[in-house]
Amino acid sequence: MNDLSDAGFAELTAKISRDRGFGCASYKDKCLRRRIAVRMRARGVHTYTDYARVLDNDQAEYDKLLDALTINVTKLFRNWDTYGAIADKVVPALWDGPATTIHVWSAGCSSGEEPYSLATLFHRHAERAGALSRLAGRVQVLGSDIDARSLVAAQAGTFEEGDFADTPDDLRARYFAPAAPFAITAEVKRLVRFERRDLLADAPPPGPHHLICCRNVLIYFDRSTQERLFDRFHAALAPDGFLVLGKVETLLGAARTRFAAVDGRERIFKPL
Ligand SMILES: C[S@@+](CC[C@H](N)C(=O)[O-])C[C@H]1O[C@@H](n2cnc3c(N)ncnc32)[C@H](O)[C@@H]1O
């Protein structure tokens, strides 16, 4: 029998949430179904009930499923145009602003490419301004993710050739080791720290934050969850802070009147 009923799906996702604390209920069904189907195919299993049994007997398969559900695809300077806009419109405004410490939060940072890219932009700005001696005390970048394994990779601060597809040559030459494992320079690495945080279950890290980057994460959540997170981000931002979303994400519901676009195309917003 090829039973892919809604009831079977509901039972399986409730089980995953119970067993692994992964809040399936807040993710889009379509996305979960697609990811679970990939793992079921890999195991040659045709019903949700049978797959639940596999999970009970094989913790390695459970880890693979969680890996598939979290979708960790990322890149350094992913969508360079967005980073160009952050470099022009966000970094100088924050650097010249009143904050004693500029708090940057990369929420859903996967293996660290995003927080390291942001820290690099601040380093480059401080270097050009001849103010490098002030940088370490002034800028703190926090990368957080639900996936502990991605965070272990993030802490290492090393990258593969494919991670550089969107990275301009000058930034690569200045900030990364020339040979594998292409480590990020220590001057940037020390600006960044990592924490495991579940955006659905944990409060935002203590702020106020001057830049919250939550890119290519909200897209996997259902609409009401996205709206709840926009509220949280709004409350966590400093009045002169910025929110950056992914290229295919946008503000929904009340958030549309609570943020103003700084650069609509690059999905950069300010709280109102
Ligand atoms: C596609 S990656 C995005 C990485 C990076 N922001 C970028 O745009 O390149 C999505 C990340 O969101 C994380 N994620 C998914 N659900 C989460 C949750 N509830 N709390 C925190 N992170 C979550 C995943 O583990 C994954 O690392």
Side-chain angles (χ1 to χ4, degrees):
M1 186 179 63
N2 191 349
D3 177 16
L4 293 173
S5 68
D6 288 349
F9 175 75
E11 246 172 65
L12 178 63
T13 51
K15 170 188 171 53
I16 296 166
S17 303
R18 231 174 19 247
D19 292 350
R20 291 297 187 105
F22 186 82
C24 288
S26 297
Y27 292 77
K28 289 179 186 154
D29 275 7
K30 213 169 99 190
C31 182
L32 293 176
R33 279 182 192 269
R34 202 181 308 134
R35 299 281 151 177
I36 291 170
V38 169
R39 289 310 315 155
M40 286 173 60
R41 263 201 307 278
R43 295 303 299 256
V45 172
H46 303 291
T47 74
Y48 289 130
T49 316
D50 286 349
Y51 188 57
R53 218 166 288 136
V54 171
L55 293 177
D56 280 336
N57 294 311
D58 185 345
Q59 290 308 301
E61 175 58 31
Y62 225 142
D63 289 343
K64 280 187 189 154
L65 172 66
L66 264 292
D67 245 11
L69 293 181
T70 50
I71 311 168
N72 304 117
V73 180
T74 188
K75 245 186 284 178
L76 291 157
F77 300 101
R78 182 177 189 177
N79 302 121
W80 166 254
D81 287 351
T82 303
Y83 281 95
I86 293 172
D88 290 345
K89 297 174 184 172
V90 176
V91 172
L94 293 177
W95 187 261
D96 295 336
T100 317
T101 304
I102 299 168
H103 291 281
V104 178
W105 177 27
S106 164
C109 71
S110 188
S111 36
E113 283 78 350
E114 184 175 279
Y116 287 127
S117 301
L118 294 168
T120 300
L121 295 185
F122 279 96
H123 189 285
R124 188 177 67 164
H125 186 81
E127 188 165 62
R128 286 178 174 169
L132 269 186
S133 60
R134 287 169 51 215
L135 179 71
R138 184 110 198 276
V139 176
Q140 288 182 10
V141 182
L142 171 68
S144 72
D145 202 280
I146 193 174
D147 181 13
R149 291 209 303 191
S150 291
L151 292 174
V152 171
Q155 307 269 10
T158 56
F159 302 95
E160 291 171 8
E161 189 58 46
D163 292 323
F164 290 96
D166 288 4
T167 306
D169 291 345
D170 59 330
L171 284 176
R172 181 169 181 176
R174 169 71 182 85
Y175 290 105
F176 297 87
F182 305 116
I184 186 132
T185 177
E187 317 157 76
V188 172
K189 191 166 189 239
R190 71 183 165 152
L191 303 177
V192 185
R193 68 190 176 85
F194 294 96
E195 271 177 15
R196 186 188 175 278
R197 275 177 187 275
D198 180 348
L199 275 168
L200 304 174
D202 301 324
H209 299 279
H210 299 92
L211 169 57
I212 298 179
C213 250
C214 189
R215 303 174 67 214
N216 310 301
V217 180
L218 298 177
I219 192 173
Y220 302 114
F221 298 143
D222 62 30
R223 187 184 169 109
S224 68
T225 303
Q226 291 190 36
E227 290 191 28
R228 185 158 52 86
L229 288 172
F230 287 133
D231 271 356
R232 285 198 176 176
F233 291 155
H234 191 278
L237 274 170
D240 57 348
F242 296 87
L243 172 69
V244 183
L245 305 178
K247 265 311 241 278
V248 295
E249 291 161 333
T250 193
L251 297 170
L252 296 172
R256 282 193 298 218
T257 58
R258 301 187 70 203
F259 290 91
V262 172
D263 184 328
R265 199 183 135 88
E266 300 307 331
R267 304 291 196 261
I268 303 175
F269 304 94
K270 280 187 84 57
L272 293 171

